[in-house]
């Protein structure tokens, strides 16, 4: 039976949520990934050092990770926040933060996530006006401190054009802040792929679903709420462009699942919440896809090595062994329906070392 081993897989964009949902989903990510970039769009959004550290602690506990006594923190001096074989890379919700504040949180954050106001789940407090001068102090300080800016790149225009319309904002940011590392999160268009090579400081993450589906799969037949996410899947030529850079291990492209769990009732309802839940199947599906295209050897770059070089990180050791053996995706994980629920995919997790 064909097997494939991945070292230190990283999910560079994930929603772990909080409370009961966190308890339900966190282990599904920490089981197969060495680390994951955790989105801050909680209610309220993660905007202070106290919120960030407390959230990190809840994540570690939910993952069942060993608490290390030697990793003291001045805010939680009785509980270490790191350890085990999974690292949550914490992000703050963007605001025009002061230099003093950024100085104080630098050691605890991996990046800052910028949402345009109201563009997606829990983003009401995001940026409503991309006024470069108003953002300059924060973005220049971030560049100086080497804090990456992770961006949800959509305007409030026509849904299929939102990402393409946002390209001018990426250009504005990339050219005004050439030393700032900017990650175009969950790109879905050919336009975004083409931006990658235009600016040395622009990078991107790509989800599993956007490599596999187009708008047709979401809304071409019976409406598929579990494939509905933001940005919405686009046209075949967009998917081709994404596949091309992912399969060929473009060095500026990283895997970020954007796995975004919502309870079944919030998806299968009038007013479906945006988000596709892929955490438990992402690596298996990626193996199947890369194998189908004869590109399995490039998967390691896409799911780990590129992110390690781009962000300069050295993740905890983990080896995930996958096998070309059918896996029937469970109908639900707790209250959450995953992508491909009840369907059989071609690859399974054989072991995690
Ligand atoms: O589909 C999405 N779901 N896109 C996002 O940007 C947010 C996410 C969520 O938090 O549910
Ligand atoms: Zn997201």
């Amino acid at each position: 039976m064909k097997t494939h081993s991945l070292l230190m897989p990283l999910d560079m964009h994930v929603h772990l949520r909080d409370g009961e949902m966190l308890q339900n989903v966190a282990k599904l990510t920490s089981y197969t990934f060495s680390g994951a970039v955790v989105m801050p769009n909680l209610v309220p959004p993660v905007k202070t050092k106290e919120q960030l550290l407390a959230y990190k602690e809840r994540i570690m506990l939910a993952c069942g990770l060993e608490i290390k006594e030697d990793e003291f923190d001045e805010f939680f001096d009785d509980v270490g926040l790191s350890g085990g074989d999974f690292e949550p890379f914490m992000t703050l919700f963007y605001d025009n933060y002061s230099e003093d504040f950024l100085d104080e949180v630098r050691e605890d954050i991996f990046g800052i996530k910028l949402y345009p106001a109201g563009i997606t789940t829990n983003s009401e407090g995001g940026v409503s006006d991309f006024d470069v001068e108003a953002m300059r102090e924060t973005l220049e300080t971030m560049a100086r401190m080497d804090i990456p800016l992770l961006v949800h790149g959509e305007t409030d225009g026509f849904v299929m054009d939102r990402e393409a319309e946002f390209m001018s904002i990426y250009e504005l940011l990339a050219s005004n802040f050439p030393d700032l590392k900017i990650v175009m999160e969950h790109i879905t268009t050919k336009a975004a792929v083409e931006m990658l090579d235009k600016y040395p400081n622009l990078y991107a993450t790509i989800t599993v679903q956007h490599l596999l589906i187009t708008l047709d799969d979401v809304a071409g037949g019976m409406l598929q709420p579990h494939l509905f996410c933001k940005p919405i899947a686009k046209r075949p030529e967009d998917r081709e462009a994404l596949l091309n850079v992912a399969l060929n291990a473009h060095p500026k492209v990283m895997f970020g699942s954007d796995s975004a769990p919502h309870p079944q009732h919030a998806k299968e309802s009038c007013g479906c919440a945006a988000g596709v839940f892929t955490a438990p199947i992402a690596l298996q599906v990626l193996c199947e896809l890369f194998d189908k295209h004869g590109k399995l050897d490039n998967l390691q770059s896409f799911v780990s090595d590129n992110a390690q070089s781009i962000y300069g990180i050295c993740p905890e050791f983990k080896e995930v062994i996958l096998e070309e053996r059918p896996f029937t995706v469970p109908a639900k994980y707790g209250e959450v329906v995953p992508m491909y629920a009840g369907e059989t995919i071609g690859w399974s997790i054989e072991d995690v070392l």
Side-chain angles (χ1 to χ4, degrees):
M1 202 172 288
K2 197 190 301 189
T3 64
H4 188 72
S5 167
L6 293 172
L7 292 177
M8 282 84 87
L10 297 168
D11 184 345
M12 302 309 286
H13 182 134
V14 73
H15 297 267
L16 294 181
R17 312 296 193 209
D18 211 343
E20 249 177 70
M21 185 63 92
L22 172 66
Q23 301 305 321
N24 182 27
V25 302
K27 276 188 181 157
L28 298 170
T29 290
S30 67
Y31 175 50
T32 52
F33 291 94
S34 275
V37 180
V38 181
M39 291 300 121
N41 62 331
L42 304 181
V43 185
V46 181
K47 292 185 76 171
T48 68
K49 179 164 175 157
E50 291 82 349
Q51 286 173 324
L52 182 106
L53 295 179
Y55 185 36
K56 184 171 184 181
E57 184 189 356
R58 294 196 296 279
I59 293 169
M60 299 302 285
L61 291 171
C63 293
L65 292 171
E66 175 197 341
I67 293 166
K68 279 187 189 165
E69 291 283 327
D70 57 350
E71 301 220 354
F72 286 125
D73 181 277
E74 56 187 333
F75 278 81
F76 300 97
D77 58 357
D78 54 346
V79 192
L81 296 175
S82 192
D85 56 1
F86 171 75
E87 184 167 5
F89 299 118
M90 305 304 293
T91 63
L92 279 178
F93 192 96
Y94 182 88
D95 205 338
N96 289 333
Y97 293 118
S98 69
E99 180 170 359
D100 284 352
F101 174 79
L102 292 174
D103 212 26
E104 219 181 285
V105 293
R106 177 64 196 105
E107 289 311 305
D108 302 301
I109 62 172
F110 185 78
I112 298 184
K113 175 72 187 286
L114 185 156
Y115 289 95
I119 206 65
T120 189
T121 313
N122 306 334
S123 64
E124 290 69 24
V127 172
S128 44
D129 181 15
F130 284 86
D131 174 354
V132 168
E133 291 321 311
M135 302 169 85
R136 186 170 292 282
E137 186 195 336
T138 305
L139 295 180
E140 281 181 350
T141 308
M142 286 172 63
R144 200 167 56 249
M145 294 183 181
D146 199 19
I147 302 173
L149 179 73
L150 320 183
V151 183
H152 183 118
E154 288 194 285
T155 66
D156 60 0
F158 178 66
V159 68
M160 288 294 279
D161 297 335
R162 286 176 187 175
E163 184 172 291
E165 285 175 4
F166 199 87
M167 292 304 126
S168 58
I169 298 178
Y170 279 130
E171 300 214 55
L172 191 71
L173 294 172
S175 56
N176 271 279
F177 307 99
D179 298 327
L180 179 67
K181 197 171 280 172
I182 302 170
V183 184
M184 303 186 284
E185 295 294 332
H186 42 54
I187 59 171
T188 61
T189 56
K190 191 162 175 268
V193 168
E194 286 166 357
M195 285 298 289
L196 272 175
D197 296 322
K198 276 201 194 166
Y199 294 90
N201 54 333
L202 275 186
Y203 303 85
T205 60
I206 302 181
T207 72
V208 180
Q209 68 266 24
H210 292 117
L211 292 174
L212 288 161
I213 65 171
T214 67
L215 183 63
D216 250 13
D217 298 288
V218 185
M222 304 266 272
L223 193 63
Q224 300 299 313
H226 299 292
L227 297 180
F228 171 61
C229 64
K230 291 184 174 179
I232 200 157
K234 304 290 189 314
R235 299 173 175 80
E237 55 269 35
D238 294 307
R239 180 179 56 184
E240 276 316 299
L242 298 170
L243 266 174
N244 183 41
V245 282
L247 292 172
N248 293 306
H250 188 298
K252 296 176 90 180
V253 164
M254 306 167 271
F255 171 59
S257 70
D258 198 16
S259 180
H262 292 277
Q264 185 174 20
H265 66 81
K267 296 288 291 175
E268 297 175 10
S269 78
C270 172
C272 167
V276 178
F277 182 56
T278 52
I281 58 156
L283 291 180
Q284 300 90 311
V285 170
L286 285 172
C287 252
E288 185 168 11
L289 178 70
F290 275 63
D291 185 38
K292 187 180 107 187
H293 289 272
K295 296 283 186 179
L296 255 187
D297 287 347
N298 285 343
L299 184 55
Q300 178 64 36
S301 300
F302 182 57
V303 299
S304 186
D305 297 357
N306 290 353
Q308 290 188 46
S309 331
I310 292 167
Y311 281 103
I313 49 175
C314 193
E316 305 268 357
F317 178 81
K318 187 170 279 186
E319 180 176 5
V320 180
I321 301 163
L322 295 111
E323 190 169 76
E324 193 181 20
R325 170 169 51 84
F327 171 66
T328 301
V329 180
K332 284 207 229 180
Y333 290 85
E335 280 306 294
V336 187
V337 178
M339 185 179 180
Y340 293 142
E343 293 179 43
T344 300
I345 57 177
W347 283 70
S348 304
I349 304 282
E350 164 59 14
D351 205 356
V352 180
L353 309 171

